[in-house]
Amino acid sequence: MEKKEKESQENILKIYEEPTQIGLNNIGAANSMNSTLQCLCLCQTPSLINFFLKDSNKGVIMNNNIVKENRNLPQLSPEFLKIIKILWDKNKKGTSFSPYDFMETVEKTNRFLKRGKEGNYKDFIIYILDRIHRELKRYANSQNQPVIQPLNIYNQNNSFLHFMNDIQNDCSIISDEFFGIMESTNVCLYCKNIYISQGVNYPVIYNYGLFICLIFPLEEVKNFRNENCVNSNIQISQNNSVTLNDCFCYNQKTERFTGEDKNYCCICKQLYDSEFTSRIYSSPNVLILILTRGNDNRCNIKLDFTETLNLTQFVEVKDSHQIIYNLYGVITLVEQSESKTHFIAFCKSPINNKWYKYNDAIVCPVKDVQKEIINFGIPHILFYQKSKKL
């Protein structure tokens, strides 16, 4: 992107002197989905908001890739554009509206996402981001791609280059901001994957994949943390809580596959016990953390989280000395009964860097971040924005 064009996009939000504070009406027990839309459409990601607000992108959004494939399919990107325009309409400041068209489009394109099924909050955010990504994909010029050697799964660099070559036509404004890369390694415990070619050892099989969010099952995170404490002779905390550090340690744990779960070793040509490890290879600009608490959301494990998150030790490729993220959105469960669950969103405005609480149609400023956000309710989704290079 040319520097002038980039500056032009960044200037779009400068016309706002203060947030519009527009709420979303609850249209049929869908307030967890309302909370998700508030965090995405009001987030501290100017490039995403500017992309949809910029007039020159309207043609791409209204006539996207899926339209070209099948004009009979409902399109999500134009409906997402409508919501962003309304939420950023200065003339509608302090009002609320009902996102009927957007929710109907979601229901038409995904039969598993229906209003009234509050357990779908994590599937909802993954689906809409993936759907918009597929609609707005831009295609690279394959002639400019570097020539790479034949795939060697034991060579880390070459395996990664093949992965990047495969996804060259899988880019969009969504992937630019929300997609990270996960690296997984698999080691056969019989031969240790010691493969020698031209005097070089290749002890590990490498594989790469994209992720749009990280999902942390808090019960499993707690058990994993406690097991490590026992193995390391560390006293286990009696508090029924885990930290984000515990969550990321769980995310990169090593799993052993034995018995019926044995993996096929392409060197031994048989099934053998193996160890599988995953690690964040490259972290996204926007990091979405989904916290699962069982099917009924009744797991009462407390998550200790802060406004600043340091991921330096958990990311392999560093684009700066430290990888720091700042919290800008939280979706939290504040009420639950046998027949009702109620979620609200907290969003940090990119206009004045102040926090606001979005309780469906009701919007109000947050006075005490620690009390009203960090120590309030039961967090289900956290949104973090990567800081500029340090």
Side-chain angles (χ1 to χ4, degrees):
M1 181 185 296
E2 296 293 334
K3 182 177 180 181
K4 183 178 293 185
E5 181 183 357
K6 185 174 181 180
E7 289 176 349
S8 175
Q9 286 194 11
E10 290 176 347
N11 285 335
I12 292 178
L13 293 181
K14 291 185 178 180
I15 65 174
Y16 298 90
E17 297 179 355
E18 57 184 9
T20 54
Q21 299 183 48
I22 299 173
L24 295 176
N25 298 320
N26 194 339
I27 53 173
N31 84 306
S32 68
M33 298 181 183
N34 278 354
S35 300
T36 299
L37 289 176
Q38 291 285 16
C39 286
L40 289 177
C41 298
L42 297 171
C43 66
Q44 290 265 62
T45 315
S47 57
L48 177 64
I49 301 171
N50 286 323
F51 178 88
F52 279 89
L53 291 181
K54 191 177 181 185
D55 290 337
S56 60
N57 288 328
K58 184 177 180 179
V60 176
I61 296 170
M62 303 304 292
N63 300 283
N64 53 64
N65 295 311
I66 292 185
V67 170
K68 296 174 184 177
E69 296 173 8
N70 188 339
R71 294 186 179 276
N72 295 322
L73 289 176
Q75 305 305 304
L76 205 58
S77 299
E79 300 304 329
F80 191 71
L81 170 62
K82 291 179 185 178
I83 292 179
I84 287 185
K85 283 191 171 182
I86 292 174
L87 292 180
W88 287 92
D89 188 341
K90 293 189 294 184
N91 296 323
K92 291 183 170 60
K93 179 183 176 182
T95 62
S96 64
F97 85 104
S98 303
Y100 281 113
D101 292 343
F102 184 87
M103 294 308 304
E104 287 180 357
T105 302
V106 170
E107 291 178 331
K108 289 178 181 178
T109 57
N110 189 321
R111 61 188 178 91
F112 297 105
L113 294 175
K114 302 295 181 182
R115 280 169 285 176
K117 295 184 178 181
E118 290 295 0
N120 288 332
Y121 66 91
K122 64 179 183 297
D123 301 320
F124 177 73
I125 188 171
I126 294 172
Y127 174 72
I128 62 174
L129 287 176
D130 180 68
R131 176 79 182 188
I132 294 173
H133 161 66
R134 289 188 290 116
E135 291 180 3
L136 300 181
K137 281 197 296 187
R138 56 183 181 269
Y139 298 98
N141 184 352
S142 59
Q143 295 180 352
N144 296 328
Q145 298 303 312
V147 177
I148 55 178
Q149 299 299 318
L151 177 62
N152 186 333
I153 58 178
Y154 304 97
N155 185 305
Q156 182 181 20
N157 292 332
N158 192 247
S159 180
F160 179 74
L161 287 177
H162 273 273
F163 163 74
M164 294 301 294
N165 186 68
D166 289 341
I167 65 169
Q168 62 175 297
N169 288 329
D170 200 27
C171 300
S172 71
I173 182 61
I174 300 298
S175 64
D176 290 347
E177 299 298 330
F178 295 91
F179 282 18
I181 300 174
M182 192 71 71
E183 176 188 81
S184 62
T185 58
N186 197 4
V187 178
C188 171
L189 297 182
Y190 180 78
C191 72
K192 301 293 185 183
N193 292 153
I194 299 301
Y195 173 73
I196 301 177
S197 175
Q198 298 180 351
V200 179
N201 290 347
Y202 300 106
V204 179
I205 295 176
Y206 293 92
N207 190 33
Y208 296 88
L210 296 171
F211 68 89
I212 202 168
C213 64
L214 295 177
I215 301 177
F216 299 138
L218 296 188
E219 189 74 42
E220 294 181 25
V221 170
K222 180 184 176 183
N223 293 338
F224 175 76
R225 189 272 313 276
N226 291 347
E227 182 180 343
N228 281 346
C229 288
V230 171
N231 294 337
S232 304
N233 294 321
I234 300 174
Q235 184 176 357
I236 300 176
S237 172
Q238 298 303 313
N239 296 329
N240 191 32
S241 65
V242 295
T243 66
L244 281 180
N245 190 75
D246 294 330
C247 291
F248 283 99
C249 288
Y250 168 86
N251 183 69
Q252 65 175 32
K253 68 181 184 301
T254 297
E255 296 182 87
R256 178 167 291 196
F257 292 90
T258 61
E260 296 181 354
D261 297 325
K262 289 181 179 179
N263 286 324
Y264 179 80
C265 177
C266 54
I267 296 177
C268 299
K269 307 298 182 183
Q270 293 186 48
L271 292 173
Y272 278 108
D273 294 350
S274 63
E275 286 186 343
F276 178 89
T277 305
S278 61
R279 180 179 176 84
I280 300 173
Y281 182 85
S282 177
S283 60
N285 291 329
V286 178
L287 181 65
I288 301 176
L289 308 179
I290 298 179
L291 316 166
T292 60
R293 301 172 180 274
N295 294 330
D296 57 3
N297 291 324
R298 297 189 182 280
C299 167
N300 62 352
I301 294 177
K302 183 180 185 298
L303 177 73
D304 293 329
F305 65 100
T306 59
E307 286 193 78
T308 302
L309 176 65
N310 189 333
L311 283 191
T312 307
Q313 64 173 313
F314 297 108
V315 179
E316 182 167 333
V317 175
K318 314 291 193 299
D319 51 8
S320 60
H321 295 297
Q322 288 189 313
I323 301 178
I324 305 296
Y325 282 85
N326 296 314
L327 185 72
Y328 73 80
V330 180
I331 298 175
T332 185
L333 175 67
V334 295
E335 178 185 352
Q336 177 160 305
S337 64
E338 292 295 333
S339 60
K340 180 182 180 181
T341 54
H342 188 73
F343 293 84
I344 63 174
F346 294 96
C347 300
K348 188 177 183 181
S349 171
I351 304 302
N352 59 11
N353 286 320
K354 293 182 179 179
W355 284 91
Y356 294 85
K357 179 169 70 174
Y358 293 82
N359 188 356
D360 288 333
I362 302 173
V363 183
C364 59
V366 173
K367 296 179 181 180
D368 187 330
V369 173
Q370 187 67 35
K371 180 180 179 180
E372 297 185 50
I373 301 178
I374 306 297
N375 293 327
F376 176 79
I378 303 173
H380 276 65
I381 305 181
L382 305 178
F383 297 81
Y384 281 91
Q385 170 75 38
K386 184 184 287 186
S387 297
K388 297 181 179 179
K389 294 183 179 182
L390 301 178

